[in-house]
């Protein structure tokens, strides 16, 4: 046997001896374990993306699915790490004790984060609002631009302000984008006209009105208030969600123009001052 061949045989033998050693087998087993976890996680993420694309689910449900995938990922890696310790014959009892102490400390310091996360999960699962809805949360009104587990972000349509609200602080939600809304306008009419004449005149004005986004004919609801200088009559129409404000503006304009054409002036507050000589 030549020296070169003998050297190669010795190298193969030593390599095989290393691979067959208990430590090398533990390393290989750990690598296979974590590779399997990585493959499972990738399969779960691909399945979620496929479901989201095929069913065209909304952003809230997509966020929930992604959250579930993350939770599964962390659980799998924790389990894999535990198995790795077992493979290397390392007792996990001290780590469990340390983890419990750390968990208590983190839990006490992150109560608000936990509260926001739980509230955010409930908001997403109950579908209370989605991105694009116009909502009122506490004293803030705006369009929902983002929903996360920790917070809800609104943009005010008038000022452009971006408002971030922690989910844990949300108690009352008013959603202006669910199914339909009612657009209504209170029209001030002069006391000099009889009530029957007022109703008849406004009915003639609103009957031909037809707006894009309206779900019903415009109708005169009736007298809603006897104000100081005018009789207020309400005109209303059912609209698509989010169309009510636009239709209200158009109704005000059209009704004012129609009253001007009929020579009926809208009353306004006046004040008479008497001077003593």
């Amino acid at each position: 046997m030549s020296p070169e061949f003998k050297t190669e045989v010795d190298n193969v033998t030593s390599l095989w001896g290393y691979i067959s050693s208990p430590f090398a087998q533990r390393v290989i087993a750990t690598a296979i374990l974590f590779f399997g976890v990585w493959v499972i996680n990738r399969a779960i993420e691909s399945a979620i993306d496929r479901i989201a694309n095929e069913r065209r689910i909304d952003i809230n449900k997509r966020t929930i699915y992604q959250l579930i995938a993350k939770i599964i990922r962390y659980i799998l890696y924790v389990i894999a790490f535990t198995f790795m310790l077992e493979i290397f014959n390392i007792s996990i009892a001290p780590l469990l004790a340390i983890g419990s102490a750390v968990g208590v400390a983190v839990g006490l310091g992150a109560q608000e984060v936990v509260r926001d996360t739980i509230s955010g999960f409930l908001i997403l699962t109950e579908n209370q609002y989605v991105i694009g809805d116009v909502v009122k949360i506490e004293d803030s009104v705006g369009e929902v631009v983002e929903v996360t587990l920790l917070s809800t972000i609104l943009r005010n349509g008038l000022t452009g302000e971006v408002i971030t609200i922690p989910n844990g602080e949300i108690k009352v939600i008013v959603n202006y984008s669910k199914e339909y809304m009612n657009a209504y306008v209170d029209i001030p009419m002069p006391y000099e006209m009889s009530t029957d004449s007022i109703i008849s005149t406004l009915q003639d004005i609103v009957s031909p009105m037809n707006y894009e986004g309206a779900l019903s004919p415009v109708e005169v609801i009736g007298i809603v208030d006897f104000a100081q200088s005018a009789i207020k009559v309400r005109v209303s129409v059912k609209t698509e969600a989010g169309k009510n404000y636009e239709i209200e503006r158009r109704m005000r304009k059209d009704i004012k123009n129609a009253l001007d054409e009929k020579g009926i002036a809208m009353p306004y507050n006046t004040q008479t001052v008497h001077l003593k000589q």
Side-chain angles (χ1 to χ4, degrees):
M1 181 181 297
S2 65
E4 292 82 3
F5 181 75
K6 185 176 182 303
T7 302
E8 292 180 3
V9 171
D10 292 340
N11 290 337
V12 171
T13 304
S14 60
L15 178 60
W16 175 253
Y18 176 76
I19 293 176
S20 60
S21 66
F23 179 78
Q25 290 179 356
R26 294 188 181 104
V27 172
I28 294 172
T30 301
I32 295 174
L33 175 65
F34 279 95
F35 178 76
V37 170
W38 180 81
V39 170
I40 294 173
N41 284 325
R42 291 293 298 175
I44 293 174
E45 292 175 358
S46 299
I48 290 176
D49 290 339
R50 185 173 62 256
I51 293 173
N53 293 331
E54 290 179 355
R55 299 183 180 179
R56 297 180 180 179
I57 61 175
D58 58 55
I59 189 65
N60 284 9
K61 292 183 180 179
R62 186 186 293 267
T63 302
I64 295 173
Y65 290 161
Q66 292 174 347
L67 172 63
I68 294 174
K70 288 181 181 179
I71 293 175
I72 294 174
R73 180 191 309 161
Y74 295 144
I75 292 175
L76 289 176
Y77 277 119
V78 169
I79 294 175
F81 181 75
T82 304
F83 274 106
M84 183 193 71
L85 295 179
E86 292 291 338
I87 291 173
F88 284 93
N89 295 324
I90 299 175
S91 175
I92 63 174
L95 293 178
L96 291 177
I98 296 173
S100 299
V102 172
V104 171
V106 172
L108 293 175
Q111 292 181 3
E112 292 187 359
V113 175
V114 174
R115 180 196 63 180
D116 293 343
T117 302
I118 294 175
S119 298
F121 185 80
L122 293 176
I123 289 172
L124 293 170
T125 54
E126 293 179 0
N127 201 30
Q128 297 177 4
Y129 49 80
V130 297
I131 292 177
D133 284 358
V134 177
V135 299
K136 178 180 179 182
I137 300 177
E138 305 303 327
D139 296 327
S140 301
V141 179
E143 179 183 348
V144 180
V145 295
E146 186 176 356
V147 183
T148 67
L149 285 176
L150 296 179
S151 63
T152 295
I153 301 176
L154 308 180
R155 180 178 290 277
N156 189 288
L158 297 177
T159 63
E161 296 174 333
V162 176
I163 308 165
T164 302
I165 305 173
N167 290 329
E169 296 182 3
I170 297 175
K171 306 299 181 184
V172 179
I173 302 168
V174 180
N175 194 326
Y176 299 108
S177 302
K178 289 289 187 181
E179 296 182 3
Y180 70 91
M181 293 290 293
N182 288 323
Y184 68 90
V185 177
D186 291 341
I187 309 299
M189 298 297 289
Y191 274 105
E192 290 76 16
M193 295 180 63
S194 66
T195 55
D196 291 339
S197 178
I198 289 173
I199 299 298
S200 176
T201 299
L202 289 178
Q203 191 64 56
D204 292 340
I205 291 174
V206 303
S207 293
M209 289 182 178
N210 185 20
Y211 301 108
E212 182 182 355
L215 301 178
S216 68
V218 183
E219 59 180 345
V220 179
I221 302 300
I223 297 173
V224 294
D225 188 22
F226 292 106
Q228 182 178 359
S229 59
I231 299 175
K232 291 188 176 181
V233 183
R234 178 162 297 178
V235 176
S236 179
V237 59
K238 182 184 289 187
T239 73
E240 296 176 2
K243 291 285 188 177
N244 52 308
Y245 297 115
E246 177 186 351
I247 291 179
E248 286 177 359
R249 291 191 291 268
R250 296 180 61 184
M251 287 170 59
R252 291 188 184 97
K253 176 184 175 183
D254 293 342
I255 292 173
K256 177 63 168 63
N257 291 338
L259 289 174
D260 290 343
E261 291 177 0
K262 291 179 178 293
I264 302 174
M266 284 186 175
Y268 50 89
N269 291 332
T270 60
Q271 185 175 10
T272 302
V273 178
H274 299 277
L275 299 176
K276 292 183 178 181
Q277 296 292 336

